[in-house]
Amino acid sequence: MSAPATGTLDTAQAPTTTVVRGGRLLRDLLGVLPFFVFVTIFLLIPTLVVVIGAFAGPDNRPTLDNITALADGYIVDAFVRSITVSAVTALLGAALGALLAYVVVTAGPDSLVRRLVTSACGVLAQFGGVTLAFAFIATLGLSGFVTVFLRDSLGIDIFSGGVWLFDLPGLVLVYTYFQIPLMVIVFLPALDGIRPQWREATENLGGSTWYYWRHVAGPLLAPAFLGSTLLLFANAFSAYATAAALVSQGAPLVPLQIRSALTSEVLLGRENLGKAMALGMVVVVALVMWLYGLLQRRTSRWLD
């Protein structure tokens, strides 16, 4: 008598369990729906527009003319300059940011120094665009207060060799300014994963500080450091507003070339050249972020 009752009870509970699981799945899907909508509107659709436009001619017929035009000298030069500026600022930001992150870690997890530095880095890493360009112009421009002070009080003219602030050297300085705090933010978790017991074990076995960094901490932190550097490269390579506000003449970088192609008069049959350059940037950033993902997976495997 008890076996049929149990079977009946299990049969009755099965639809209820299915309904509960279905409700949870629906709730979870509704929770991530805004994210998927955001990604679709601001990432997938623009990328699709760029890809289609890069292979479309003036009559909307498929063509490779826009892609082959990327081999033009001025476009190649723009890509080389963009990659150079991004690489230099990524290396500078990674080196200086890693040193600052190490100082923060040695201060202790609950120290006032760590709270102040991480809070400041969280703000400064997002402090870019026109506001950052104006801040540097007001500080180091031709009539900036630091420039005027050095010239009038100390007789030092920082622009004696040319107006470098509004050229590639100025972009390197300004980009490095927001690369350093970003490096602190993304590299701190890796430094936190280095356990003090590893250094104590090295010292107990007779290893020096150099040996510890060369054979223990260095290899463990190398993937995280390289991955963070790649992230900084992608951040600088895709930056637009700061360069657009700082560089008043010419278009030395790819984002500025794209702006010129989209807003200026273009040659007949080259209307979609800007989208082709944007596709080139997408390919470069996608490759960099793929390498970043590989390094992040290796880092998480070592530091878990």
Side-chain angles (χ1 to χ4, degrees):
M1 296 296 292
S2 59
T6 303
T8 304
L9 181 59
D10 292 341
T11 304
Q13 286 180 344
T16 304
T17 304
T18 303
V19 171
V20 172
R21 291 178 179 176
R24 291 177 179 176
L25 178 62
L26 180 60
R27 182 184 61 189
D28 294 340
L29 291 176
L30 290 177
V32 299
L33 181 61
F35 171 76
F36 285 117
V37 172
F38 179 86
V39 170
T40 301
I41 295 177
F42 294 101
L43 180 61
L44 297 181
I45 293 178
T47 302
L48 186 62
V49 171
V50 166
V51 172
I52 295 176
F55 293 95
D59 53 357
N60 291 327
R61 293 182 179 179
T63 181
L64 294 176
D65 292 342
N66 300 319
I67 302 300
T68 56
L70 295 180
D72 291 351
Y74 74 98
I75 297 179
V76 173
D77 290 341
F79 270 96
V80 170
R81 284 191 292 265
S82 292
I83 292 175
T84 301
V85 170
S86 301
V88 171
T89 58
L91 292 175
L92 289 175
L96 298 176
L99 290 176
L100 180 57
Y102 178 73
V103 172
V104 172
V105 169
T106 56
D110 299 323
S111 64
L112 179 62
V113 173
R114 176 161 185 154
R115 292 198 297 269
L116 290 177
V117 173
T118 53
S119 299
C121 289
V123 174
L124 295 177
Q126 305 299 324
F127 182 60
V130 178
T131 306
L132 180 60
F134 174 78
F136 269 87
I137 293 173
T139 304
L140 296 175
L142 294 174
S143 300
F145 71 90
V146 172
T147 304
V148 173
F149 172 78
L150 293 176
R151 184 175 61 242
D152 296 345
S153 301
L154 304 178
I156 300 176
D157 185 6
I158 62 176
F159 293 110
S160 58
V163 189
W164 51 268
L165 181 62
F166 305 103
D167 205 344
L168 294 183
L171 289 177
V172 170
L173 175 63
V174 176
Y175 280 22
T176 304
Y177 178 85
F178 61 75
Q179 295 278 55
I180 294 175
L182 179 59
M183 180 64 180
V184 173
I185 294 174
V186 299
F187 195 58
L188 265 178
L191 288 174
D192 287 332
I194 300 296
R195 295 172 176 81
Q197 294 83 355
W198 298 343
R199 184 160 191 168
E200 295 173 359
T202 303
E203 293 176 351
N204 292 334
L205 294 174
S208 62
T209 301
W210 166 251
Y211 185 91
Y212 167 75
W213 285 105
R214 174 66 178 83
H215 296 282
V216 181
L220 292 176
L221 291 175
F225 181 83
L226 294 176
S228 301
T229 304
L230 290 175
L231 182 62
L232 266 60
F233 176 90
N235 183 49
F237 188 74
S238 59
Y240 163 74
T242 302
L246 197 62
V247 179
S248 58
Q249 295 181 352
L253 304 181
V254 179
L256 303 184
Q257 286 286 353
I258 295 175
R259 177 194 63 181
S260 178
L262 295 178
T263 60
S264 303
E265 295 182 0
V266 294
L267 297 176
L268 183 62
R270 307 287 288 273
E271 291 83 355
N272 288 324
L273 181 57
K275 295 179 181 178
M277 287 187 284
L279 178 60
M281 292 190 66
V282 170
V283 172
V284 172
V285 173
L287 176 61
V288 170
M289 298 312 296
W290 175 70
L291 294 174
Y292 171 76
L294 292 179
L295 291 171
Q296 285 296 102
R297 285 197 293 270
R298 182 172 181 178
T299 302
S300 61
R301 185 173 66 249
W302 276 99
L303 299 178
D304 281 345

